Amino acid sequence: MKKLIIIGAGPAGISAALYAKRGNIDTTVIAMDSTSLNMAHKIDNYYGLLGISGGDLYSIGKMQAQKLGIPVINDEVLSIEFNERYSIIGKNSSYDCDAIIIATGSYRKRLDIKGLKEYEGKGVSYCAVCDGFFFRKKRLAVIGNSSYALHEADYLSNLAKDVLIFTNGEEIEDEGLKKYMINKDRIEAINGDDVVRSIITNNGEQEVDGIFVASGSADALDLARKLGLTIDENNKIAVNAERETNLPNIFAAGDCTAGMMQIAKAVYDGAVAGTSAIKALKKGK
């Protein structure tokens, strides 16, 4: 049986999972045990619900999937690769599949560092796999303090002369990062001319040839960039009416795509993506 993996356990992801499973598709959900729904104290604009909290809605959704026999795995997705089949690289394990639905919600807030946005594409990158090749034998910085930063640093270490870790004032969350030179100072600015030349912190300046941002965990845009998915003018994953991306058997649903950032829209998106995945996988038998 063809296998579908859904990244994200919110309304879009679980909705997709329910439709796919009922369509006789081997379906697995992978998500970190956290959700932006926890910030919703009360939801009273969704049909049939009277004042439920976002956290409770999230928990009920996962329980609904599990009751149907859908595994909901707690893991952090670091990257997606392709070698005959798609392979999702997680912090704890790797997972092979034939189709993927990205339903990870809206992208995280970017770091508020002077010069960061101005030097995007001029030495600042958000994807080691995409841009690491252009920085061979260079001195590179990775901004981050978690497993995602370690994943990016490890990839770059095979290409770069040196890899430095800047935690931007945060404590190290993944001990594996300690094999690299670590700077825990708060970053104040990115400096350069036509390209990046240095990182300025509250304690001084460090010369670098490139900067890779990997703060927090990989979000929808990070995964999209690694896969080569098209991103629209609003920094959302571009999809058609069937929630298909520009790559075969890769779909996206919910807040990571354009449209209203509402639960009603996410649930609909998930239903469409799940149904589209069924058609694609059965057609590909």
Side-chain angles (χ1 to χ4, degrees):
M1 183 184 295
K2 294 295 183 75
K3 185 173 183 63
L4 167 69
I5 289 183
I6 299 166
I7 306 174
I14 294 299
S15 175
L18 296 177
Y19 275 81
K21 179 67 174 180
R22 291 183 182 278
N24 199 31
I25 297 296
D26 182 359
T27 303
T28 298
V29 175
I30 300 175
M32 296 178 65
D33 194 20
S34 62
T35 172
S36 59
L37 280 176
N38 284 329
M39 294 184 289
H41 174 67
K42 184 192 297 186
I43 297 168
D44 56 11
N45 63 345
Y46 186 76
Y47 179 81
L49 299 182
L50 295 174
I52 189 172
S53 71
D56 285 345
L57 181 63
Y58 182 75
S59 297
I60 291 171
K62 290 199 300 182
M63 289 170 56
Q64 187 177 6
Q66 291 166 333
K67 186 176 180 180
L68 198 59
I70 301 169
V72 181
I73 299 173
N74 181 19
D75 200 356
E76 178 183 353
V77 175
L78 303 175
S79 184
I80 301 173
E81 300 174 359
F82 181 79
N83 184 14
E84 295 184 355
R85 299 179 79 196
Y86 289 109
S87 183
I88 295 175
I89 311 302
K91 179 179 179 180
N92 301 324
S93 187
S94 297
Y95 315 86
D96 292 333
C97 61
D98 303 287
I100 298 171
I101 297 175
I102 301 175
T104 54
S106 59
Y107 66 92
R108 63 178 179 270
K109 183 179 179 181
R110 295 298 177 184
L111 296 175
D112 185 18
I113 298 174
K114 182 180 178 181
L116 190 67
K117 183 174 179 59
E118 288 76 7
Y119 282 104
E120 288 178 357
K122 300 177 182 178
V124 171
S125 172
Y126 295 87
C127 179
V129 173
C130 310
D131 298 328
F133 179 81
F134 302 109
F135 294 89
R136 300 185 308 282
K137 307 300 181 183
K138 300 293 186 179
R139 186 175 179 84
L140 303 180
V142 174
I143 300 177
N145 67 324
S146 64
S147 298
Y148 181 46
L150 176 61
H151 178 270
E152 298 291 89
D154 284 347
Y155 182 87
L156 293 170
S157 67
N158 295 317
L159 301 169
K161 177 183 178 182
D162 293 303
V163 176
L164 313 175
I165 305 298
F166 285 77
T167 71
N168 194 29
E170 303 292 335
E171 291 300 316
I172 290 293
E173 292 183 2
D174 193 310
E175 294 294 312
L177 285 169
K178 291 185 177 179
K179 62 186 174 184
Y180 297 103
M181 185 180 298
I182 296 174
N183 187 316
K184 294 184 179 181
D185 296 340
R186 176 70 63 180
I187 299 173
E188 295 185 345
I190 307 300
N191 187 39
D193 38 49
D194 55 332
V195 295
V196 165
R197 298 297 181 188
S198 65
I199 293 177
I200 300 173
T201 73
N202 57 303
N203 281 321
E205 186 173 6
Q206 176 69 63
E207 292 185 2
V208 295
D209 300 303
I211 299 170
F212 287 78
V213 181
S215 59
S217 56
D219 65 9
L221 286 186
D222 295 319
L223 298 177
R225 287 189 179 99
K226 294 177 189 298
L227 278 168
L229 300 183
T230 300
I231 298 171
D232 67 21
E233 64 277 7
N234 297 310
N235 275 340
K236 301 285 187 175
I237 299 175
V239 294
N240 63 15
E242 303 304 316
R243 302 310 183 263
E244 297 169 317
T245 68
N246 58 301
L247 291 185
N249 290 2
I250 301 289
F251 307 85
D255 288 352
C256 64
T257 64
M260 294 178 66
M261 295 179 65
Q262 294 291 312
I263 294 172
K265 185 261 188 185
V267 170
Y268 171 74
D269 273 7
V272 174
T275 303
S276 296
I278 294 170
K279 294 177 182 176
L281 290 175
K282 290 188 174 180
K283 182 180 179 181
K285 283 186 177 180

mmCIF file of all heavy atoms in Angstrom, residues 189-213:
data_model
loop_
_atom_site.group_PDB
_atom_site.id
_atom_site.type_symbol
_atom_site.label_atom_id
_atom_site.label_comp_id
_atom_site.label_asym_id
_atom_site.label_seq_id
_atom_site.Cartn_x
_atom_site.Cartn_y
_atom_site.Cartn_z
ATOM 1 N N ALA A 189 23.613 43.245 14.674
ATOM 2 C CA ALA A 189 23.502 43.639 13.272
ATOM 3 C C ALA A 189 24.309 42.712 12.377
ATOM 4 O O ALA A 189 25.244 42.043 12.811
ATOM 5 C CB ALA A 189 23.973 45.079 13.077
ATOM 6 N N ILE A 190 23.905 42.672 11.115
ATOM 7 C CA ILE A 190 24.677 42.016 10.061
ATOM 8 C C ILE A 190 25.359 43.129 9.275
ATOM 9 O O ILE A 190 24.705 44.081 8.834
ATOM 10 C CB ILE A 190 23.774 41.193 9.123
ATOM 11 C CG1 ILE A 190 22.905 40.217 9.926
ATOM 12 C CG2 ILE A 190 24.619 40.464 8.086
ATOM 13 C CD1 ILE A 190 23.658 39.213 10.744
ATOM 14 N N ASN A 191 26.658 43.010 9.079
ATOM 15 C CA ASN A 191 27.419 44.070 8.430
ATOM 16 C C ASN A 191 27.999 43.576 7.102
ATOM 17 O O ASN A 191 28.249 42.386 6.913
ATOM 18 C CB ASN A 191 28.557 44.532 9.349
ATOM 19 C CG ASN A 191 29.276 45.749 8.809
ATOM 20 O OD1 ASN A 191 28.647 46.655 8.263
ATOM 21 N ND2 ASN A 191 30.594 45.766 8.945
ATOM 22 N N GLY A 192 28.196 44.511 6.164
ATOM 23 C CA GLY A 192 28.789 44.148 4.886
ATOM 24 C C GLY A 192 28.788 45.306 3.924
ATOM 25 O O GLY A 192 28.493 46.444 4.291
ATOM 26 N N ASP A 193 29.115 44.999 2.661
ATOM 27 C CA ASP A 193 29.029 45.994 1.600
ATOM 28 C C ASP A 193 28.046 45.469 0.568
ATOM 29 O O ASP A 193 26.837 45.503 0.797
ATOM 30 C CB ASP A 193 30.406 46.295 1.013
ATOM 31 C CG ASP A 193 31.290 45.056 0.912
ATOM 32 O OD1 ASP A 193 30.801 44.033 0.379
ATOM 33 O OD2 ASP A 193 32.435 45.103 1.368
ATOM 34 N N ASP A 194 28.550 44.927 -0.538
ATOM 35 C CA ASP A 194 27.629 44.307 -1.485
ATOM 36 C C ASP A 194 27.236 42.903 -1.048
ATOM 37 O O ASP A 194 26.258 42.350 -1.536
ATOM 38 C CB ASP A 194 28.248 44.274 -2.889
ATOM 39 C CG ASP A 194 29.611 43.596 -2.913
ATOM 40 O OD1 ASP A 194 30.311 43.634 -1.882
ATOM 41 O OD2 ASP A 194 29.968 43.027 -3.963
ATOM 42 N N VAL A 195 28.009 42.307 -0.131
ATOM 43 C CA VAL A 195 27.706 40.996 0.449
ATOM 44 C C VAL A 195 27.992 41.030 1.943
ATOM 45 O O VAL A 195 28.604 41.984 2.446
ATOM 46 C CB VAL A 195 28.533 39.868 -0.217
ATOM 47 C CG1 VAL A 195 28.155 39.699 -1.681
ATOM 48 C CG2 VAL A 195 30.021 40.147 -0.060
ATOM 49 N N VAL A 196 27.589 39.991 2.648
ATOM 50 C CA VAL A 196 27.836 39.892 4.087
ATOM 51 C C VAL A 196 29.337 39.830 4.370
ATOM 52 O O VAL A 196 30.082 39.114 3.681
ATOM 53 C CB VAL A 196 27.148 38.629 4.656
ATOM 54 C CG1 VAL A 196 27.700 38.303 6.049
ATOM 55 C CG2 VAL A 196 25.652 38.826 4.717
ATOM 56 N N ARG A 197 29.758 40.560 5.392
ATOM 57 C CA ARG A 197 31.161 40.537 5.799
ATOM 58 C C ARG A 197 31.346 40.135 7.264
ATOM 59 O O ARG A 197 32.370 39.564 7.630
ATOM 60 C CB ARG A 197 31.791 41.919 5.576
ATOM 61 C CG ARG A 197 31.806 42.383 4.130
ATOM 62 C CD ARG A 197 32.642 41.488 3.245
ATOM 63 N NE ARG A 197 32.665 41.972 1.863
ATOM 64 C CZ ARG A 197 33.205 41.293 0.844
ATOM 65 N NH1 ARG A 197 33.753 40.116 1.066
ATOM 66 N NH2 ARG A 197 33.186 41.804 -0.368
ATOM 67 N N SER A 198 30.361 40.453 8.102
ATOM 68 C CA SER A 198 30.552 40.162 9.527
ATOM 69 C C SER A 198 29.233 40.184 10.291
ATOM 70 O O SER A 198 28.219 40.678 9.801
ATOM 71 C CB SER A 198 31.519 41.174 10.158
ATOM 72 O OG SER A 198 30.950 42.473 10.132
ATOM 73 N N ILE A 199 29.294 39.619 11.499
ATOM 74 C CA ILE A 199 28.191 39.677 12.454
ATOM 75 C C ILE A 199 28.644 40.530 13.633
ATOM 76 O O ILE A 199 29.713 40.291 14.209
ATOM 77 C CB ILE A 199 27.808 38.271 12.951
ATOM 78 C CG1 ILE A 199 27.207 37.451 11.808
ATOM 79 C CG2 ILE A 199 26.820 38.357 14.115
ATOM 80 C CD1 ILE A 199 26.863 36.020 12.200
ATOM 81 N N ILE A 200 27.844 41.519 13.963
ATOM 82 C CA ILE A 200 28.149 42.390 15.098
ATOM 83 C C ILE A 200 27.293 41.968 16.284
ATOM 84 O O ILE A 200 26.064 41.890 16.193
ATOM 85 C CB ILE A 200 27.881 43.865 14.751
ATOM 86 C CG1 ILE A 200 28.758 44.301 13.575
ATOM 87 C CG2 ILE A 200 28.149 44.756 15.967
ATOM 88 C CD1 ILE A 200 28.443 45.694 13.058
ATOM 89 N N THR A 201 27.940 41.665 17.407
ATOM 90 C CA THR A 201 27.233 41.283 18.628
ATOM 91 C C THR A 201 27.449 42.354 19.692
ATOM 92 O O THR A 201 28.173 43.332 19.474
ATOM 93 C CB THR A 201 27.729 39.930 19.161
ATOM 94 O OG1 THR A 201 29.041 40.095 19.731
ATOM 95 C CG2 THR A 201 27.769 38.879 18.054
ATOM 96 N N ASN A 202 26.851 42.152 20.843
ATOM 97 C CA ASN A 202 27.007 43.112 21.932
ATOM 98 C C ASN A 202 28.415 43.074 22.527
ATOM 99 O O ASN A 202 28.792 43.938 23.315
ATOM 100 C CB ASN A 202 25.982 42.838 23.031
ATOM 101 C CG ASN A 202 26.081 41.429 23.579
ATOM 102 O OD1 ASN A 202 25.979 40.460 22.825
ATOM 103 N ND2 ASN A 202 26.268 41.287 24.879
ATOM 104 N N ASN A 203 29.227 42.093 22.095
ATOM 105 C CA ASN A 203 30.587 41.988 22.622
ATOM 106 C C ASN A 203 31.670 42.116 21.549
ATOM 107 O O ASN A 203 32.842 41.865 21.817
ATOM 108 C CB ASN A 203 30.783 40.656 23.357
ATOM 109 C CG ASN A 203 30.185 40.685 24.746
ATOM 110 O OD1 ASN A 203 30.266 41.691 25.442
ATOM 111 N ND2 ASN A 203 29.580 39.586 25.154
ATOM 112 N N GLY A 204 31.285 42.469 20.333
ATOM 113 C CA GLY A 204 32.307 42.618 19.313
ATOM 114 C C GLY A 204 31.821 42.257 17.922
ATOM 115 O O GLY A 204 30.609 42.217 17.663
ATOM 116 N N GLU A 205 32.766 41.979 17.033
ATOM 117 C CA GLU A 205 32.455 41.714 15.633
ATOM 118 C C GLU A 205 33.198 40.472 15.170
ATOM 119 O O GLU A 205 34.369 40.287 15.487
ATOM 120 C CB GLU A 205 32.830 42.915 14.770
ATOM 121 C CG GLU A 205 32.426 42.802 13.316
ATOM 122 C CD GLU A 205 32.676 44.096 12.545
ATOM 123 O OE1 GLU A 205 33.271 45.033 13.137
ATOM 124 O OE2 GLU A 205 32.275 44.182 11.366
ATOM 125 N N GLN A 206 32.508 39.609 14.428
ATOM 126 C CA GLN A 206 33.092 38.384 13.913
ATOM 127 C C GLN A 206 32.965 38.341 12.403
ATOM 128 O O GLN A 206 31.863 38.436 11.857
ATOM 129 C CB GLN A 206 32.369 37.164 14.509
ATOM 130 C CG GLN A 206 32.847 35.829 13.972
ATOM 131 C CD GLN A 206 34.253 35.487 14.430
ATOM 132 O OE1 GLN A 206 34.516 35.329 15.609
ATOM 133 N NE2 GLN A 206 35.174 35.382 13.474
ATOM 134 N N GLU A 207 34.094 38.221 11.709
ATOM 135 C CA GLU A 207 34.067 38.149 10.250
ATOM 136 C C GLU A 207 33.523 36.797 9.784
ATOM 137 O O GLU A 207 33.941 35.752 10.277
ATOM 138 C CB GLU A 207 35.474 38.354 9.680
ATOM 139 C CG GLU A 207 36.017 39.755 9.870
ATOM 140 C CD GLU A 207 37.355 39.945 9.180
ATOM 141 O OE1 GLU A 207 37.830 38.985 8.532
ATOM 142 O OE2 GLU A 207 37.911 41.049 9.290
ATOM 143 N N VAL A 208 32.606 36.841 8.821
ATOM 144 C CA VAL A 208 32.048 35.624 8.225
ATOM 145 C C VAL A 208 31.789 35.893 6.747
ATOM 146 O O VAL A 208 31.643 37.041 6.326
ATOM 147 C CB VAL A 208 30.729 35.172 8.906
ATOM 148 C CG1 VAL A 208 30.967 34.769 10.347
ATOM 149 C CG2 VAL A 208 29.670 36.270 8.813
ATOM 150 N N ASP A 209 31.723 34.820 5.974
ATOM 151 C CA ASP A 209 31.449 34.948 4.542
ATOM 152 C C ASP A 209 30.001 34.645 4.193
ATOM 153 O O ASP A 209 29.539 34.968 3.093
ATOM 154 C CB ASP A 209 32.354 33.988 3.755
ATOM 155 C CG ASP A 209 33.827 34.279 3.986
ATOM 156 O OD1 ASP A 209 34.236 35.421 3.728
ATOM 157 O OD2 ASP A 209 34.553 33.365 4.423
ATOM 158 N N GLY A 210 29.298 34.025 5.120
ATOM 159 C CA GLY A 210 27.894 33.697 4.886
ATOM 160 C C GLY A 210 27.203 33.363 6.182
ATOM 161 O O GLY A 210 27.846 32.962 7.164
ATOM 162 N N ILE A 211 25.886 33.556 6.187
ATOM 163 C CA ILE A 211 25.083 33.321 7.393
ATOM 164 C C ILE A 211 23.885 32.463 7.021
ATOM 165 O O ILE A 211 23.142 32.772 6.083
ATOM 166 C CB ILE A 211 24.597 34.655 8.000
ATOM 167 C CG1 ILE A 211 25.789 35.522 8.399
ATOM 168 C CG2 ILE A 211 23.680 34.399 9.196
ATOM 169 C CD1 ILE A 211 25.412 36.948 8.777
ATOM 170 N N PHE A 212 23.689 31.377 7.778
ATOM 171 C CA PHE A 212 22.543 30.500 7.569
ATOM 172 C C PHE A 212 21.657 30.557 8.808
ATOM 173 O O PHE A 212 22.097 30.252 9.918
ATOM 174 C CB PHE A 212 23.000 29.069 7.287
ATOM 175 C CG PHE A 212 23.601 28.909 5.920
ATOM 176 C CD1 PHE A 212 24.903 29.321 5.671
ATOM 177 C CD2 PHE A 212 22.854 28.392 4.876
ATOM 178 C CE1 PHE A 212 25.459 29.215 4.396
ATOM 179 C CE2 PHE A 212 23.390 28.274 3.602
ATOM 180 C CZ PHE A 212 24.697 28.682 3.364
ATOM 181 N N VAL A 213 20.417 30.986 8.620
ATOM 182 C CA VAL A 213 19.484 31.157 9.727
ATOM 183 C C VAL A 213 18.748 29.843 9.962
ATOM 184 O O VAL A 213 18.085 29.317 9.068
ATOM 185 C CB VAL A 213 18.474 32.286 9.435
ATOM 186 C CG1 VAL A 213 17.518 32.451 10.616
ATOM 187 C CG2 VAL A 213 19.207 33.594 9.141
#
